[in-house]
Amino acid sequence: MGGVTNATLPPLPASDRPDVAARLREALLGASFTADGLLELLGAPAYAALARSETVPALRATRGDTPLELLVRLFLLQQPVPRARAEAVLPVAECVQTGWLTDTGADEVAATVDVRPYGGTDGEDWFIVSDLGCAVGGAGGIGSRDEGVVLGVGGASTTLAGITVRGPVGSALDLGTGSGIQALHAAQHATRVTATDLNPRALHITALTLALSGAPAADLREGSLFEPVRDDERFDLIVSNPPFVISPGARLTYRDGGMGGDDLCRTLVQQAGERLNEGGFAQFLANWQHVEGEDWQDRLRAWVPRGCDAWIVQREVQDVTQYAELWLRDAGDHRGDPAEYQAHYDAWLDEFEARKVRAVGFGWITLRRTAAAEPSVTVEEWPHPVEQPLGDTIRAHFERLDYLRAHDDAALLAGRFRLTAEVVQEQVGLPGAEDPEHVVLRQHRGMRRATKVDTVGAGFAGVCDGSLSAGRILDAIAQLVGEDPVLLRDRTPAQIRLLVEQGFLEPAV
């Protein structure tokens, strides 16, 4: 896959002037041009509308003369502002000289890039740089005109940031960095951050995002997939929000992978294993095909590289017509010539029909490099609400896998467990019935799972506080219900394993 160039896109600010970026950052913070400041100024409805790329409410909310209103109109709404007013807030001369601002010829200045305030995971005030018109929401059709455009923060970006396992690591790789949001997060806990992209404009913008956010610079490399990575390089964390859209051709670099079907996502996952250090994580967003006559879970299991545990979660499935319409709208094709729109739509359906694709799945893929003789691969569908951030939940999932692998049934019964935080028990049955038809344990954090248990499982979970071994608890339950304790010990470990695996119970160590 070759590089991306587009002469129609405007020039970018200089990336080799961190001194100007630092002064601009100071000015933005001084005017409360932050995520919290935006919410307070605009109010929740206008703030939410801005995230949907609807600017009218924000324009109405910024008709005053405060510094913050001026900055919102300048950097988020792309409105020229009087130079004299801007000079009271910003180092205008330096910003014009280095390309952050441009003179319009009418005693006004305009921004050359979008700058969106973004709140870090620990309350940091960061700024995500992107091409004009692309700071919020989707591409809004701009991609249909400018193929090398770099988008800002979208739902996929924040989803990946939320599921990423955080913790001090030596090295992190952000593959397909875009506007640099994942590299920015990684810079907070990785000694060394490498960011790659096929689009050199994206690498330039990532450098701007890091500088304007006060983050350390990253090692920026141009190229496709793992091409820019040396054969001997290994990482503790790999993250990627790749161009995963399954489309005919590769019109739009920011979303279309340029490989047939879901081959880009498959290749990315399969090649990641050998790039990880022992215990390292690789985490991706991906699309995958649901092919006629093939189990989608088996398809994904075949992607997992040797030597890696995997947890793959399908969050959404769309039939091929829904999928084609979604991405045609994303490119703005629905606003163009109807005959051309229909031709594009036909091309998508022809492609899917040729590949016998009936639907497309979307979800998360997490790999962890392991030395286990038999790695664990979990592929599941979970379309229900979850509680972000999920990084700690995902780390705990793999830690529980290690525990279960290391403990046979005898060791499991000798172990002690605790009910995890915010798990509640629900009893379902007819009103007035003496016994419930079934008992459900439900999580109110993390994945927010629910699972049916029998009376023994419910009783067992209810008294798990880490003080007694599982075997002793089962012996007490056997005495209460009049059951043979040996038989109960024999049949219950499978249920305990499931409750541990799904995060309802955790080892008390």
Side-chain angles (χ1 to χ4, degrees), residues 355-372:
R355 295 179 178 275
K356 298 184 178 179
V357 176
R358 296 293 175 260
V360 177
F362 167 81
W364 320 322
I365 298 177
T366 300
L367 307 177
R368 184 189 61 165
R369 189 78 187 175
T370 180

Side-chain angles (χ1 to χ4, degrees), residues 489-508:
R489 279 175 172 254
D490 186 56
R491 69 176 174 85
T492 307
Q495 189 170 187
I496 297 174
R497 284 187 183 277
L498 181 64
L499 292 175
V500 171
E501 182 181 342
Q502 294 191 343
F504 291 94
L505 297 176
E506 59 187 6

Side-chain angles (χ1 to χ4, degrees), residues 226-493:
F226 288 101
E227 287 174 4
V229 178
R230 297 192 310 270
D231 290 343
D232 62 345
E233 282 187 286
R234 300 293 180 270
F235 300 91
D236 302 307
L237 175 67
I238 299 172
V239 293
S240 184
N241 175 20
F244 53 67
V245 176
I246 299 170
S247 63
R251 277 198 302 156
L252 308 178
T253 301
Y254 70 85
R255 68 170 207 193
D256 300 327
M259 294 187 184
D262 52 17
D263 283 355
L264 183 133
C265 291
R266 174 185 56 79
T267 301
L268 181 60
V269 173
Q270 289 179 336
Q271 293 181 355
E274 62 185 7
R275 305 293 186 178
L276 286 173
N277 286 321
E278 190 71 29
F281 286 91
Q283 298 186 266
F284 315 102
L285 301 185
N287 273 172
W288 43 79
Q289 298 172 150
H290 284 231
V291 179
E292 184 179 341
E294 179 183 18
D295 185 287
W296 69 270
Q297 293 176 313
D298 289 343
R299 182 182 189 84
L300 289 173
R301 288 188 185 96
W303 290 11
V304 178
R306 294 179 61 183
C308 288
D309 292 324
W311 185 16
I312 302 174
V313 182
Q314 180 168 273
R315 295 287 291 154
E316 184 180 359
V317 181
Q318 290 184 315
D319 68 51
V320 292
T321 58
Q322 290 176 306
Y323 189 80
E325 290 162 15
L326 169 67
W327 294 110
L328 288 168
R329 286 194 301 272
D330 172 82
D333 289 341
H334 62 303
R335 295 197 295 267
D337 176 52
E340 188 175 351
Y341 173 81
Q342 184 173 342
H344 282 311
Y345 202 147
D346 268 333
W348 283 68
L349 296 188
D350 285 345
E351 178 85 2
F352 286 133
E353 187 174 344
R355 295 179 178 275
K356 298 184 178 179
V357 176
R358 296 293 175 260
V360 177
F362 167 81
W364 320 322
I365 298 177
T366 300
L367 307 177
R368 184 189 61 165
R369 189 78 187 175
T370 180
E374 295 186 14
S376 168
V377 177
T378 300
V379 183
E380 63 174 321
E381 185 165 21
W382 190 254
H384 311 294
V386 298
E387 182 185 53
Q388 286 273 35
L390 279 168
D392 288 344
T393 298
I394 290 174
R395 183 199 304 277
H397 168 87
F398 288 94
E399 290 173 347
R400 293 193 302 269
L401 284 182
D402 288 340
Y403 177 88
L404 292 173
R405 263 197 297 245
H407 291 73
D408 60 16
D409 285 357
L412 200 68
L413 293 174
R416 293 175 292 115
F417 299 93
R418 280 193 300 265
L419 194 67
T420 52
E422 295 191 40
V423 172
V424 299
Q425 176 179 305
E426 301 172 357
Q427 299 189 50
V428 181
L430 294 173
E434 185 173 341
D435 296 312
E437 292 178 20
H438 58 262
V439 178
V440 174
L441 298 181
R442 188 179 301 277
Q443 300 167 349
H444 282 270
R445 295 177 60 183
M447 292 294 286
R448 295 183 177 174
R449 295 189 187 277
T451 188
K452 279 201 285 189
V453 292
D454 59 19
T455 53
V456 170
F460 178 86
V463 296
C464 278
D465 60 3
S467 60
L468 296 175
S469 71
R472 288 188 63 186
I473 293 174
L474 289 178
D475 290 343
I477 291 175
Q479 188 173 7
L480 281 173
V481 300
E483 189 168 339
D484 185 334
V486 175
L487 293 177
L488 193 61
R489 279 175 172 254
D490 186 56
R491 69 176 174 85
T492 307

Side-chain angles (χ1 to χ4, degrees), residues 7-180:
T8 68
L9 291 170
L12 293 169
S15 60
D16 58 353
R17 291 295 302 274
D19 55 326
V20 176
R23 282 193 282 277
L24 177 56
R25 170 179 171 79
E26 184 179 354
L28 297 178
L29 294 176
S32 297
F33 187 62
T34 63
D36 289 342
L38 277 185
L39 182 59
E40 184 175 348
L41 170 68
L42 301 178
Y47 188 80
L50 195 60
R52 299 190 302 269
S53 297
E54 295 291 349
T55 58
V56 171
L59 285 166
R60 292 173 62 85
T62 55
R63 291 180 288 193
D65 292 325
T66 67
L68 179 54
E69 288 169 306
L70 177 136
L71 292 176
V72 171
R73 295 178 75 86
L74 181 65
F75 284 115
L76 274 181
L77 303 177
Q78 285 84 63
Q79 301 294 307
V81 299
R83 182 178 181 122
R85 286 181 56 199
E87 285 175 337
V89 182
L90 299 170
V92 169
E94 290 173 296
C95 287
V96 170
Q97 180 190 20
T98 54
W100 288 96
L101 299 176
T102 183
D103 285 307
T104 66
D107 293 325
E108 293 181 324
V109 291
T112 60
V113 288
D114 269 319
V115 175
R116 177 184 175 179
Y118 177 78
T121 49
D122 293 320
E124 304 95 339
D125 288 315
W126 293 338
F127 300 98
I128 308 299
V129 180
S130 63
D131 273 311
L132 291 173
C134 297
V136 290
I142 192 170
S144 62
R145 301 189 301 275
D146 297 316
E147 191 264 352
V149 73
V150 178
L151 303 191
V153 180
S157 301
T158 54
T159 295
L160 179 59
I163 68 171
T164 299
V165 175
R166 304 293 176 192
V169 294
S171 57
L173 171 64
D174 176 14
L175 194 152
T177 187
S179 59

